[in-house]
Amino acid sequence: MTAPLRAMILAVSPEGVIGLHGAIPWRHPGDLRRFARVTRGATVIMGRRTWESMRGRPLPHRRNLVVTSRAIEGVETFPGLALAMAASEGPVWLIGGRAIYEEGMGSCDLIDVTYVPDHVDHPDAVRAPAIDPAQWDEGPLVQHEDEPGLTRRVYTRKAPREA
Ligand SMILES: NC(=O)c1ccc[n+]([C@@H]2O[C@H](COP(=O)([O-])OP(=O)(O)OC[C@H]3O[C@@H](n4cnc5c(N)ncnc54)[C@H](OP(=O)(O)O)[C@@H]3O)[C@@H](O)[C@H]2O)c1
């Protein structure tokens, strides 16, 4: 039996930025549409700051899990990523932010990256972790199907993931 998908999905600026001041510093509705389509029906796992950026509204049609040391009302919380992963059934998408991407990279099979053209040059910007070419096969750069002007790429793991 094939193990269920464990993957991460992110959008990055040309500088590798994913966030600024608790938000995503660009707006590309087509990418949000694709994000919703790709993650629909799955479990999504996020860090507490990413949860806060959603203003207390869980993403619909998905099981929302938040990794945090705090107690938060209205959503399932876990004190660590491994515990959130262990509580998940079926496909899982890690949806940010940096802390979650960094820790989760070892336990994912696939990284789905959208490239936006918006430049973000700010000392407070949150950057995506590097994707190690020794660990990941880089798929082709393709045009984003929902948003003209964006591109995207899928990385797949070279060696079997950690348990
Ligand atoms: N461009 C994109 O695709 C994308 C996607 C998602 C988010 N973002 C942006 O990224 C930024 C947020 O990223 P971030 O890295 O600052 O924050 P984050 O990863 O969303 O949240 C960090 C928090 O999550 C909890 N956490 C993370 N790992 C943990 C662990 N192993 N054990 C226990 N708790 C853990 C901690 O919460 P506590 O402090 O409560 O313990 C930590 O302070 C925002 O600007 C957001 O808009 C961008």
Side-chain angles (χ1 to χ4, degrees), residues 3-160:
L5 177 74
R6 285 182 179 180
M8 52 178 73
I9 185 165
L10 62 154
V12 298
S13 81
E15 300 80 14
V17 168
I18 60 166
L20 180 65
H21 299 149
I24 296 178
W26 52 77
R27 188 172 151 68
H28 294 292
D31 191 42
L32 297 179
R33 270 200 306 280
R34 178 174 177 271
F35 170 88
R37 191 170 69 241
V38 167
T39 61
R40 191 184 171 97
T43 296
V44 292
I45 302 180
M46 71 200 88
R48 190 257 308 161
R49 292 195 193 115
T50 296
W51 165 253
E52 285 178 352
S53 76
M54 289 159 38
R55 298 166 200 271
R57 289 189 301 259
L59 294 168
H61 314 299
R62 280 147 283 192
R63 184 180 176 198
N64 288 236
L65 307 184
V66 177
V67 181
T68 177
S69 55
R70 308 174 186 195
I72 303 174
E73 255 182 64
V75 72
E76 290 180 81
T77 58
F78 293 85
L81 178 59
L83 292 169
M85 292 276 223
S88 307
E89 283 169 20
V92 174
W93 286 91
L94 306 188
I95 63 164
R98 182 188 168 98
I100 294 298
Y101 293 139
E102 206 160 25
E103 192 183 338
M105 214 168 256
S107 35
C108 283
D109 320 295
L110 181 154
I111 305 175
D112 184 311
V113 185
T114 290
Y115 301 99
V116 305
D118 310 64
H119 286 279
V120 185
D121 179 18
H122 195 286
D124 298 341
V126 178
R127 286 169 192 275
I131 299 174
D132 179 359
Q135 302 282 337
W136 295 92
D137 279 322
E138 188 181 89
L141 190 67
V142 297
Q143 177 140 23
H144 193 295
E145 50 274 60
D146 294 71
E147 184 85 33
L150 305 190
T151 53
R152 62 179 196 84
R153 189 195 299 283
V154 169
Y155 290 82
T156 46
R157 171 173 292 292
K158 285 184 177 173

